[in-house]
Amino acid sequence: MPENWWIYRGTGVPHDGIAALPPAPAWRSFGDWVDSDAELPAPPADEASGLTARRLGRARQATAYQADEREVHLVNLALHLRRPLLITGKPGVGKSTLAYAVAHELGLGPVLRWPISSRSTLRDGLYTYDAIGRLHEAGLHAPQHGTDRRPPAIGQFLRLGPLGTALLSWRTPRVVLIDEIDKSDIDLPNDLLNVFEEGEFEIPELQRLGPGPQEVAVADPGRRAVVRGGHVRCAHFPLVVLTSNGEREFPSALLRRCVRLEIQPPTEERLAAMVAAHLGEDGTADGSQDGTADGSQRAALITEFLRRQREDGADLANDQLLNALLMAERGLWGSGPGRDVIHDVLLRPLNES
């Protein structure tokens, strides 16, 4: 049963519940300088295309992520407290997809995804500056033969990253996904702390130009924003979702600033609902099947998938099950060799060499 303090309900059905989010606690309030949210730009519309479409499917598949009550509770804690949400769990259990589900249901615009590698730095998430490109263009625009040719504006060579874009002053919080933070260099989790606490950052390349406005590119494709005085600060702290496969420990300073959620392997009911959302009740969701799939084979594969996880300790991801079911419903299940391919290749445990 939905509780009256829930903003995110976990239904997958879009609604305007974000308007009912209470004011931030005093120690997490960032928009006191804004007279009215109506003055701020709304997040761009999410057309359920590109990455979002792949994560959630189209409109009829928007319930692909089946959140349980505990997950809904913790997402709402992060929203109310304006704290990052640190999600841990095995690969393939839906950690990243939860971010897309929240953004889709609450109408928070496209998810701003920052995939982490061992070379990622805080600046990568905040902004990038093409100094070499600017120098090149400045040379091309140097005064010649008495002409006064101005070099291009610096903002043409500066682009806010996913986290930097989320920290702009939006009318509602944006969702930023910091994906697989456990792959990062040891310093990155600590480097994030000040940004998480202050909800703002500075761009020295723009500050040198004085207090005036500068137009820069942002992580939303084809869009630009105005930054004044080289200072970016949020009006509403974004919903920051950090995912981890549990491969490392994080500093206590980061942990105490996060709401921590550990996603457990799905139950049979959640798997069946996820499969139906992606493949349809009759196996026709991707438009390439004939709708003659036998429901018993779907149930059998789901049961086998769960048995391998629970009894054999197999490390299996949800997308492996989707791949197996897709091919089974396209005819691979119809022969002994085909079933062997499904079991030995598509459902091969990730922890099996």
Side-chain angles (χ1 to χ4, degrees), residues 271-285:
L271 273 181
M274 179 201 72
V275 168
H278 279 288
L279 300 180
E281 295 290 350
D282 57 1
T284 59

Side-chain angles (χ1 to χ4, degrees), residues 7-8 18 21 75-82 102 106 239:
I7 304 301
Y8 170 63
I18 194 63
L21 182 65
V75 169
N76 281 288
L77 281 179
L79 287 168
H80 279 264
L81 297 174
R82 275 65 168 185
V102 175
L106 296 181
L239 177 61

Side-chain angles (χ1 to χ4, degrees), residues 22-310:
W27 57 92
R28 296 294 292 165
S29 180
F30 299 96
D32 295 342
W33 53 276
V34 178
D35 293 331
S36 171
D37 285 348
E39 301 173 359
L40 302 175
D46 188 349
E47 303 297 339
S49 61
L51 187 56
T52 298
R54 292 194 294 275
R55 292 286 185 180
L56 293 179
R58 301 187 186 279
R60 70 185 292 260
Q61 297 170 289
T63 57
Y65 188 87
Q66 303 293 317
D68 64 25
E69 186 171 297
R70 177 172 174 77
E71 292 162 6
V72 174
H73 270 301
L74 296 187
V75 169
N76 281 288
L77 281 179
L79 287 168
H80 279 264
L81 297 174
R82 275 65 168 185
R83 288 294 185 185
L85 180 66
L86 174 60
I87 307 178
T88 59
K90 292 185 176 180
V93 297
K95 300 186 297 296
S96 301
T97 304
L98 178 54
Y100 291 87
V102 175
H104 173 79
E105 182 176 318
L106 296 181
L108 302 181
V111 172
L112 298 160
R113 179 173 177 262
W114 179 16
I116 299 298
S117 72
S118 60
R119 298 178 299 278
S120 298
T121 66
L122 175 61
R123 178 163 160 169
D124 296 331
L126 297 179
Y127 73 97
T128 57
Y129 173 53
D130 184 6
I132 295 177
R134 184 166 186 258
L135 285 173
H136 176 70
E137 288 295 317
L140 293 178
H141 289 79
Q144 297 178 2
H145 305 295
T147 62
D148 183 16
R149 301 176 64 186
R150 291 187 177 184
I154 190 173
Q156 296 182 33
F157 304 93
L158 197 145
R159 178 178 183 270
L160 299 185
L163 181 56
T165 300
L167 289 170
L168 288 168
S169 298
W170 298 101
R171 188 179 304 170
T172 58
R174 295 295 302 270
V175 178
V176 56
L177 171 63
I178 304 179
D179 212 6
E180 299 192 333
I181 184 68
D182 49 344
K183 289 184 177 179
S184 73
D185 177 87
I186 192 171
D187 292 327
L188 181 58
N190 281 318
D191 292 342
L192 288 165
L193 297 180
N194 186 63
V195 175
F196 287 169
E197 281 300 298
E198 303 302 328
E200 60 185 9
F201 68 97
E202 296 175 344
I203 303 175
E205 293 85 352
L206 296 184
Q207 286 185 315
R208 299 187 192 106
L209 303 178
Q214 294 288 331
E215 189 177 63
V216 302
V218 299
D220 294 307
R223 291 184 172 264
R224 301 183 69 82
V226 173
V227 175
R228 298 183 181 276
H231 189 195
V232 176
R233 59 176 173 173
C234 67
H236 299 283
F237 190 74
L239 177 61
V240 180
V241 178
L242 305 102
T243 69
S244 167
N245 294 328
E247 297 177 357
R248 63 180 280 193
E249 298 291 331
F250 294 108
S252 58
L254 176 70
L255 296 178
R256 74 178 179 84
R257 287 171 169 84
C258 295
V259 174
R260 288 184 277 172
L261 165 62
E262 182 175 357
I263 294 186
Q264 301 297 326
T267 63
E268 184 170 356
E269 292 75 15
R270 287 184 67 184
L271 273 181
M274 179 201 72
V275 168
H278 279 288
L279 300 180
E281 295 290 350
D282 57 1
T284 59
D286 71 345
S288 60
Q289 300 173 57
D290 59 11
T292 61
D294 182 358
S296 63
Q297 75 182 29
R298 179 177 288 191
L301 271 172
I302 292 175
T303 300
E304 174 66 10
F305 179 84
L306 290 171
R307 186 197 66 77
R308 289 190 178 195
Q309 281 187 326
R310 295 169 180 172

